[in-house]
Amino acid sequence: MLELYPWQLTQWTQLLAAIDKGKLPHALLLSGTEGIGLEHFAACLAARLLCGAPGKTTVACGECRSCILLKAGNHPDLNRVIPEEEGQQIKVAAIRNLKDYIHLSSQYGRYKVAMISPANSMNRSAANSLLKTLEEPPGEALLILVSHQPALLPVTIRSRCQSIIFPAVFDQVAQEWLQSRLGDCQEIAEILALAHGGPLKAVQLFEAGSMEHQITLLADLTESRSKGTDPVSLALKWQKIGILEVFSCLLTVFSRMSRLKLENLDDNSDKSSIIRYLQALVKGLDLVQIIACYDLVKENYFTATGPININKQGLLEDFIVYWQSLIQIREDKIQ
Ligand SMILES: [Zn+2]
């Protein structure tokens, strides 16, 4: 039986109340940080609407014919639209098929549910085609749009969906869930911060060794500050980690450094190795410099994920040279 993640109960309660009152809208836009479980929530909602014997608060019974068909992945009243290949666009033909499907009667006399994920992958023609369905929705049908980047959706689409937002979670509920998944991991709060508050992403990052990568980067930033390091060699080393992983980790590093600077958490009792590195790095910089580093890393990250073939070595070297120039400024000020 499908179970919700514990940090999703507020949104679930809100939708259950709408279902009970018969006021579920025709289109929902689920949005939130990566790894917050949007697809899973959408699957739970679809299961609840299609289930033949749903309980008052449970997701779906898990045993009726409808639930068994869902589990097998071939329920006739659920349609899931995804890109043909990961990272590709959702094209207009897929949305036209979806429109044909959603206007047919439900085979089991309940809802017809369609999921589009990630909704921001729709190209312009696909989005225009969907707009007509959103303007004239069929009866007992629900469209669930899922997106980690809702800002990339046309305003006309967003304004016709009820928005359900899943904020990033850093609290005890998320940490306890994560601890139950990661067993003896000692730095749950750190890995959750690295995942920008997406617990499922945190599991992925932990398994991919991102904690070690972050510690390596912090050690390298520290060393290049105190001794001076050859940017070419360091960039070559970072290339082995992977440019996106490096910039993603650095985004977390500078975001946390700016928070430490603002909160002046010098006497923080949490003495994880990451906190110790961050506290030492923060000391020699002012807030403007930390934010400038964050902005540069963000810009480089988007350049690295963009459509143009980039010089990875050059992009990494640029950042390292900039980082070292901040130390130079600091030393000049001291003299
Ligand atoms: Zn059921």
Side-chain angles (χ1 to χ4, degrees):
M1 190 165 75
L2 285 171
E3 298 270 357
L4 290 157
Y5 293 117
W7 56 85
Q8 299 181 324
L9 299 181
T10 306
Q11 293 86 347
W12 183 253
T13 308
Q14 182 190 344
L15 284 175
L16 269 195
I19 293 170
D20 283 349
K21 288 180 196 156
K23 289 192 172 168
L24 192 66
H26 287 289
L28 296 172
L29 170 58
L30 310 185
S31 64
T33 191
E34 206 181 326
I36 201 84
L38 298 182
E39 290 240 2
H40 180 76
F41 187 91
C44 288
L45 181 59
R48 175 65 167 71
L49 291 171
L50 298 176
C51 176
K56 264 281 168 210
T57 55
T58 51
V59 174
C61 79
E63 291 168 0
C64 70
R65 179 156 172 71
S66 189
C67 284
I68 289 165
L69 279 172
L70 265 182
K71 232 179 280 173
N74 51 13
H75 197 296
D77 292 331
L78 176 66
N79 191 334
R80 192 163 170 260
V81 180
I82 56 171
E84 284 171 19
E85 282 178 49
E86 202 181 328
Q88 301 290 307
Q89 292 182 332
I90 293 176
K91 296 179 185 151
V92 68
I95 299 299
R96 285 193 188 126
N97 288 340
L98 175 100
K99 283 166 71 177
D100 293 342
Y101 153 84
I102 206 107
H103 283 95
L104 294 172
S105 310
S106 156
Q107 300 237 351
Y108 282 81
R110 288 182 280 275
Y111 264 84
K112 282 195 83 83
V113 183
M115 281 166 62
I116 305 174
S117 177
N120 51 275
S121 294
M122 284 186 290
N123 64 22
R124 186 179 293 214
S125 316
N128 283 339
S129 178
L130 181 70
L131 197 55
K132 295 195 184 84
T133 304
L134 291 173
E135 282 166 348
E136 298 161 17
E140 293 282 271
L142 176 67
L143 280 165
I144 309 176
L145 280 66
V146 173
S147 177
H148 297 301
Q149 295 169 292
L152 298 180
L153 279 166
V155 177
T156 44
I157 297 268
R158 276 186 283 155
S159 64
R160 284 170 175 80
C161 300
Q162 182 177 325
S163 179
I164 308 286
I165 298 167
F166 294 78
V169 283
F170 299 93
D171 60 10
Q172 203 180 343
V173 170
Q175 290 191 25
E176 280 173 6
W177 179 88
L178 202 50
Q179 191 75 66
S180 73
R181 295 296 162 114
L182 302 185
D184 54 358
C185 172
Q186 299 296 311
E187 300 192 326
I188 289 293
E190 297 297 341
I191 193 83
L192 198 53
L194 191 60
H196 307 291
L200 306 181
K201 178 82 179 169
V203 173
Q204 262 179 27
L205 293 180
F206 181 78
E207 287 167 355
S210 288
M211 283 290 278
E212 286 79 11
H213 294 157
Q214 194 180 32
I215 291 170
T216 302
L217 291 172
L218 282 164
D220 289 342
L221 290 176
T222 306
E223 192 176 310
S224 61
R225 250 174 66 139
S226 54
K227 289 187 197 164
T229 306
D230 173 27
V232 178
S233 315
L234 186 54
L236 277 171
K237 180 184 171 190
W238 285 3
Q239 275 223 58
K240 288 180 189 148
I241 296 175
I243 188 164
L244 291 183
E245 174 76 357
V246 166
F247 285 136
S248 176
C249 284
L250 288 176
L251 276 178
T252 308
V253 164
F254 290 111
S255 158
R256 297 196 69 189
M257 277 168 66
S258 53
R259 221 176 312 159
L260 277 176
K261 193 81 188 172
L262 278 168
E263 293 169 351
N264 200 18
L265 293 180
D266 229 12
D267 56 349
N268 194 319
S269 57
D270 182 346
K271 291 296 177 196
S272 74
S273 54
I274 290 178
I275 288 280
R276 281 200 301 272
Y277 272 123
L278 289 168
Q279 285 180 335
L281 284 171
V282 158
K283 276 185 186 149
L285 298 168
D286 62 37
L287 189 58
V288 174
Q289 289 172 318
I290 296 170
I291 291 171
C293 285
Y294 180 89
D295 287 344
L296 179 61
V297 172
K298 193 167 77 173
E299 195 183 315
N300 285 357
Y301 181 86
F302 283 123
T303 306
T305 50
I308 302 162
N309 259 345
I310 44 117
N311 173 356
K312 294 177 186 171
Q313 176 73 14
L315 212 54
L316 289 167
E317 282 175 27
D318 279 353
F319 168 75
I320 296 161
V321 169
Y322 181 75
W323 171 248
Q324 291 179 325
S325 76
L326 295 180
I327 307 157
Q328 193 56 51
I329 292 168
R330 186 171 62 99
E331 284 173 356
D332 290 348
K333 271 186 193 165
I334 292 166
Q335 285 162 11

